[in-house]
Amino acid sequence: MVTYVVLANFTDQGIRNAKESPKRADAFKQMAKTFGVTVKDLFWTQGRYDVVTIVEAPDESSAMSLSLSLGALGNVRTESLRAFSAAEMTAVVGKMI
């Protein structure tokens, strides 16, 4: 599985309908399942980003399909960051020259 930290900001449409955000989050979790993606955590945040989500996807293609499908709904714009666990990072640095 591939882990991503997904940073999201409300669009104008999304902020106008902020009261629906918890329901949209539930719908997002269901949408993610259709791509084989698991939503591990989802937080509403203060500061630069409005929502921070941790997801696990079977591959990059599944994560991208979910991201594009979410963006097409028009409520948020996202930035996805590939995340590495300590074990994965140990393997990565183990390959360094």
Side-chain angles (χ1 to χ4, degrees), residues 21-22 26-27 32 38 41 52 55 65 68 70 84-85 90:
S21 185
D26 289 338
T38 302
D41 275 309
V52 176
V55 301
S65 295
L68 291 171
L70 177 63
F84 295 84
S85 68
T90 298

Side-chain angles (χ1 to χ4, degrees), residues 32-58:
K33 288 180 184 178
T34 67
F35 295 100
V37 176
T38 302
V39 178
K40 303 302 277 182
D41 275 309
L42 188 148
F43 303 98
W44 286 265
T45 56
Q46 296 176 322
R48 184 173 176 184
Y49 296 98
D50 298 313
V51 180
V52 176
T53 308
I54 310 298
V55 301
E56 286 185 350

Side-chain angles (χ1 to χ4, degrees), residues 19-34:
K19 288 183 180 182
E20 300 299 317
S21 185
K23 290 179 186 174
R24 290 195 310 258
D26 289 338
F28 170 68
K29 290 174 185 177
Q30 292 305 312
M31 178 194 295
K33 288 180 184 178
T34 67

